[in-house]
Amino acid sequence: MRAIRVAMISLGCPKNQVEAERMLERLDVAGHEIVPKLEQAEVVVINTCGFITSAKEEAISHILTAARLKAQGAIRGIVVAGCLSERYREEVRQLLPEVDAVLGGGSCEAVCEAVEAALSGCPYERYDDIEQADMGGGRILSTPFYTAYLKLGDGCDNHCTYCAIPLIRGRLRSRPIEELVGEASALAEGGVRELILVAQDTTRYGEDLYGESRLVDLLRALEDIPGLRWIRLLYAYPDRISDELLQHMAGSDKVLHYIDLPLQHAEDDILRAMNRKGDRAQIEDTLLRIRRALPDVCLRTTFICGFPGETEAHFEALCRFVRRHRFDRMGCFAYSAEEGTPAASFDRQVPEDIKQRRADSLMLQQSLISAERGAALVGRQLCVLVEEFDADYGGYAGRSYRDAPEIDGRVYFTSPIELEVGAFVPVDIQSSDDYDLFGALSEASIDAGVNVERS
Ligand code: SF4
């Protein structure tokens, strides 16, 4: 088979992004040419997300854009992969006839076959058992060279009543520690300095494989990898934040004092209806233990507004909870009734406009809190990972331990010297806005001998 020019569009979460990177590597090994732009491609692979309505709409809009290009003869084939095709096998085939090849979420290994079939116009579909899917092997990173996601496993056993992910990705399957350390070592050898741990629930890592959470053991093993400077934890679950984990994070010089802890709600009867483990008292105890163990912790969380049965009183209580606990970062979704999930058939569904009004008002409240928490950092010095020179700003842009890529803020700073992308530098924080910080390279630290990788 000759080399085919292939473009990859990956939607949704970092776990899906890792699957796209695995597919890119298999296409590259097979001799196909990965092209950055859709217009340069013969075949486009759209790695879809399918867990809530807005994500499904985004996936379909990308598929229809590709279909228009195909109708114009600009591209010759469309492959749809990922969670939308895994969840809606029949619908993708029947409702999107422009699609040439379909891969289920467990069939990334077959991407070359799918692309070759799409080019030859032969209908192709493959749905391997997602719970048997390989999660290892090479990747072509789609993140900047200095940062990469490490997917600890797939699937989830928590069965929150609003969530379609267990229906799509199956039961919890953790990857062996040795395999993860092998992949992380290869990434570090390739220049990765920041490793971001992702899974549906990172705090349950290993429970299926080893009968208990082995997250701390995994962190210990990853810390020994030369070259890795930052290890960041996303998607933690509140009832699994152990004292052992917190003590380990407190004593580590690589595991960042950053915890992404989706709480979803704070009212007991809503948490129960969501089938969330733990009640508000346990959540508040967890937040207290986190802040005691990691006083400088950056806490990110997520809430769902408008869950069936949520009253104005529940919502007001949630607002008070958010004001009391003052998270550094917060996301908020209006509840999306997903067919096949228990909550979609619950009584007392909340009207769309009320759901959205609550989500918007909670985000507005949070923007004030984020601004105050940012302002409290003025006068501090932060270690910043240099990401680029921002000509509009007239200085560099980067991230501190408080900033996960794509979802959090940045640090903009001036520097009298030229800096290397991927370098870690001390920055004196001088001002802030709702989400970003502004400052200058710490000359005092440089004079005091702080190592700065100059270009
Ligand atoms: S923890 Fe809950 S919300 Fe998260 S993936 Fe699992 S079931 Fe879904």
Side-chain angles (χ1 to χ4, degrees), residues 156 158-160 162-163 165-166 200 237 276:
C156 187
N158 291 331
H159 297 289
C160 304
Y162 52 83
C163 183
I165 291 174
Q200 309 303 352
Y237 200 102
R276 296 289 292 179

Side-chain angles (χ1 to χ4, degrees), residues 241-378:
I241 301 287
S242 65
D243 289 339
E244 184 202 10
L245 173 63
L246 293 174
Q247 278 153 25
H248 184 81
M249 292 178 77
S252 171
D253 57 10
K254 288 189 178 181
V255 182
L256 296 173
H257 294 182
Y258 177 101
I259 298 181
D260 167 42
L261 189 72
L263 295 175
Q264 312 303 8
H265 215 284
E267 286 299 283
D268 288 354
D269 43 9
I270 301 295
L271 288 167
R272 250 191 318 279
M274 286 177 163
N275 189 31
R276 296 289 292 179
K277 318 294 183 287
D279 57 18
R280 187 173 62 209
Q282 284 163 319
I283 290 172
E284 296 199 309
D285 171 65
T286 298
L287 295 174
L288 201 60
R289 287 187 298 115
I290 292 173
R291 291 198 191 281
R292 199 177 291 138
L294 307 168
D296 65 341
V297 71
C298 178
L299 260 178
R300 159 174 272 282
T301 193
T302 310
F303 291 105
I304 293 175
C305 287
F307 185 80
E310 185 190 66
T311 62
E312 275 304 324
H314 287 131
F315 177 64
E316 289 310 320
L318 178 60
C319 291
R320 287 194 299 276
F321 177 89
V322 169
R323 285 196 296 275
R324 188 162 56 253
H325 289 287
R326 303 172 53 71
F327 298 96
D328 300 272
R329 314 287 191 191
M330 191 195 89
C332 187
F333 294 94
Y335 168 71
S336 172
E338 292 302 317
E339 78 270 9
T341 65
S345 52
F346 285 1
D347 298 339
R348 297 186 300 151
Q349 297 283 333
V350 177
E352 286 302 323
D353 59 335
I354 293 178
K355 285 193 262 190
Q356 199 52 57
R357 172 183 57 72
R358 288 176 184 169
D360 295 344
S361 118
L362 196 62
M363 280 312 290
L364 182 61
Q365 177 185 277
Q366 177 60 26
S367 65
L368 303 174
I369 294 170
S370 293
E372 286 164 17
R373 297 203 58 86
L377 292 160
V378 174

Side-chain angles (χ1 to χ4, degrees), residues 65-138:
T65 302
R68 276 193 296 281
L69 285 171
K70 187 179 157 194
Q72 295 157 7
I75 62 171
R76 295 176 53 194
I78 303 170
V79 176
V80 171
C83 294
L84 186 82
S85 46
E86 178 67 25
R87 187 176 179 190
Y88 298 102
R89 301 179 179 195
E90 294 307 315
E91 295 83 349
V92 168
R93 203 178 26 242
Q94 286 156 12
L95 304 176
L96 297 163
E98 306 87 345
V99 172
D100 301 287
V102 185
L103 291 174
S107 303
C108 296
E109 306 310 315
V111 66
C112 295
E113 281 175 31
V115 162
E116 290 152 15
L119 189 73
S120 59
C122 307
Y124 176 96
E125 57 186 32
R126 173 119 171 224
Y127 303 99
D128 296 284
D129 177 355
I130 200 165
E131 293 196 351
Q132 302 305 318
D134 179 8
M135 292 183 268

Side-chain angles (χ1 to χ4, degrees), residues 372-389:
E372 286 164 17
R373 297 203 58 86
L377 292 160
V378 174
R380 283 244 335 242
Q381 183 180 99
L382 293 177
C383 176
V384 171
L385 167 54
V386 180
E387 295 197 296
E388 62 178 336
F389 182 80

